[in-house]
Amino acid sequence: MNKPNVFISRQLPDIARALLSEAVFKCQIWDHEIPMPQNALIEHCQGMDALLCTAIDKIDAALYDACPDLKIISTFAVGYDNIDLAGAGKAGIRIGHTPGVLTEATAEIAFGLMVAVARHFLDAHRQIPEGSWKYFVPTRNLGQDLQRKTLGILGLGAIGFEMARRCKAVYDMQIIYHNRGINEEAEKTLGARKVTFEELLKQSDVLSVHASLNAQTKEIFNQGAFSQMKEEAIFINTARGGLHCEQDLIEALASGSIWGAGLDVTNPEPMHADNPLLKMPRVIVLPHIGSSTVFTRDEMARIAAQNIIHFFTTGKLLHEVETKKAH
Ligand code: DGY
């Protein structure tokens, strides 16, 4: 077999390219800091056997139609809402992703956002350069206690489980969750209780989102949802920005319908620099850094490359996304 051609759509940790080159793949890379425009992605993938992409590349029918040689697309991400799975299935293209390795890093960001919002880390930090830390004010910067509060999780999979485990261990929080199925391990080891979506909204002191984005979950956190939450509630989203309606979140925070929010994902991304959320008290926004540790990003690059290498050597991927059910 000729050496397969692989296109890599972003600068990734070196290990991805090193592994592919060692396994005698011919690699081309979009070697720029800025993301690839869609037409450039399509152009560069022509004649390629494999594409190693990221979560910000739009992988759709236009790409499949223009690149009939593509056999596998491996995304440097666990999420794959940017990929038209049904179209990939029809085009006979296999899809790989990188689950597992970013679970702890992402749960850590959710946990950190929860504590930072509950205890005003960012608001209090800003007061110092503003010159408003003049003396001790007993009634200022009063946060929310987290001990024995109720953590609600939408989407209790691996990352949600790690968030829940941390909250149970550190704050002895009660865990409730809403999923399609039952998470037996969480029920057994953390005493987690499955509830309806409405109960999740009404009972959570902290509501942390770990669901995947799809037609059923798109903007599930909207005005109707926020209005059912507690006034002291903290909303955390480290999954996908599209799960919340940003305007409704702004209004819920401004009207006091919920207390605070911690976001690692925004809707849309990137968030515009003049977004009102960035100036609101009790709100912390991060630029989608859930998986951003040296170890995690190296592991994601390794798995994304190995999905491609395994496919060409054994016909199997390390972690494959099912495309057939998406038809
Ligand atoms: C993922 O892996 O899905 C992260 O959100 C990075 O996009």
Side-chain angles (χ1 to χ4, degrees):
M1 185 184 184
N2 291 335
K3 289 181 180 179
N5 289 302
V6 183
F7 186 69
I8 307 177
S9 71
R10 296 307 303 278
Q11 289 166 346
L12 297 179
D14 292 342
I15 186 166
R17 198 173 184 167
L19 284 172
L20 286 162
S21 304
E22 208 175 284
V24 300
F25 286 78
K26 280 195 278 175
C27 298
Q28 283 181 38
I29 185 163
W30 175 257
D31 221 350
H32 307 278
E33 176 80 20
I34 57 155
M36 290 195 84
Q38 187 66 7
N39 56 353
L41 179 68
I42 292 179
E43 203 180 297
H44 283 76
C45 284
Q46 282 164 13
M48 292 290 151
D49 300 294
L51 166 64
L52 202 172
C53 69
T54 71
I56 61 167
D57 296 313
K58 193 166 168 227
I59 307 297
D60 60 5
L63 180 92
Y64 304 144
D65 291 347
C67 308
D69 295 325
L70 271 181
K71 296 160 190 69
I72 171 171
I73 298 175
S74 179
T75 182
F76 175 80
V78 62
Y80 40 81
D81 48 286
N82 58 317
I83 301 176
D84 168 5
L85 294 181
K90 277 190 211 134
I93 297 174
R94 309 269 291 272
I95 304 292
H97 69 146
T98 65
V101 288
L102 42 70
T103 300
E104 305 221 327
T106 308
E108 182 173 73
I109 288 289
F111 186 84
L113 281 170
M114 172 185 75
V115 179
V117 171
R119 298 301 309 275
H120 291 284
F121 281 12
L122 185 58
D123 306 327
H125 174 95
R126 282 180 184 141
Q127 288 157 16
I128 302 170
E130 275 166 20
S132 66
W133 182 22
K134 295 202 177 7
Y135 27 72
F136 171 59
V137 182
T139 53
R140 195 175 189 193
N141 293 325
L142 303 184
Q144 296 289 346
D145 291 286
L146 294 167
Q147 286 293 341
R148 288 174 290 283
K149 291 289 176 68
T150 298
L151 169 72
I153 303 247
L154 180 73
L156 187 53
I159 300 173
F161 183 90
E162 280 304 315
M163 169 66 167
R165 197 171 67 76
R166 283 162 172 71
C167 291
K168 185 84 192 166
V170 178
Y171 294 118
D172 194 18
M173 290 172 89
Q174 307 298 315
I175 315 294
I176 57 175
Y177 70 100
H178 183 69
N179 267 17
R180 268 182 304 200
I182 290 180
N183 190 321
E184 279 173 16
E185 191 191 354
E187 298 208 349
K188 207 164 128 202
T189 59
L190 306 175
R193 193 164 49 85
K194 184 173 169 179
V195 295
T196 64
F197 184 56
E198 283 66 33
E199 287 168 332
L200 189 83
L201 296 172
K202 292 195 173 115
Q203 294 175 21
S204 300
D205 296 302
V206 175
L207 205 163
S208 191
V209 187
H210 300 279
S212 50
L213 176 62
N214 54 44
Q216 286 75 47
T217 58
K218 186 165 190 280
E219 300 201 349
I220 188 167
F221 288 94
N222 50 27
Q223 195 270 336
F226 290 126
S227 67
Q228 295 180 62
M229 289 172 63
K230 295 184 181 179
E231 287 180 4
E232 308 76 33
I234 297 173
F235 175 74
I236 304 290
N237 188 358
T238 54
R240 284 290 181 266
L243 289 153
H244 68 253
C245 168
E246 211 136 283
Q247 192 52 40
D248 291 359
L249 175 61
I250 293 169
E251 281 159 27
L253 288 158
S255 66
S257 152
I258 65 170
W259 192 82
L263 307 177
D264 184 42
V265 288
T266 64
N267 184 12
E269 287 187 12
M271 176 179 266
H272 201 274
D274 66 5
N275 190 301
L277 284 168
L278 297 171
K279 294 225 166 80
M280 291 180 109
R282 305 182 299 279
V283 174
I284 299 184
V285 185
L286 300 175
H288 203 146
I289 59 164
S291 62
S292 184
T293 69
V294 176
F295 171 79
T296 301
R297 288 279 164 90
D298 273 352
E299 280 296 282
M300 289 167 71
R302 182 183 62 76
I303 294 173
Q306 283 182 340
N307 274 334
I308 296 176
I309 297 168
H310 277 240
F311 169 72
F312 283 102
T313 49
T314 69
K316 292 195 177 132
L317 282 68
L318 286 189
H319 296 285
E320 180 157 11
V321 181
E322 177 66 82
T323 55
K324 301 241 162 49
K325 283 191 199 134
H327 281 241

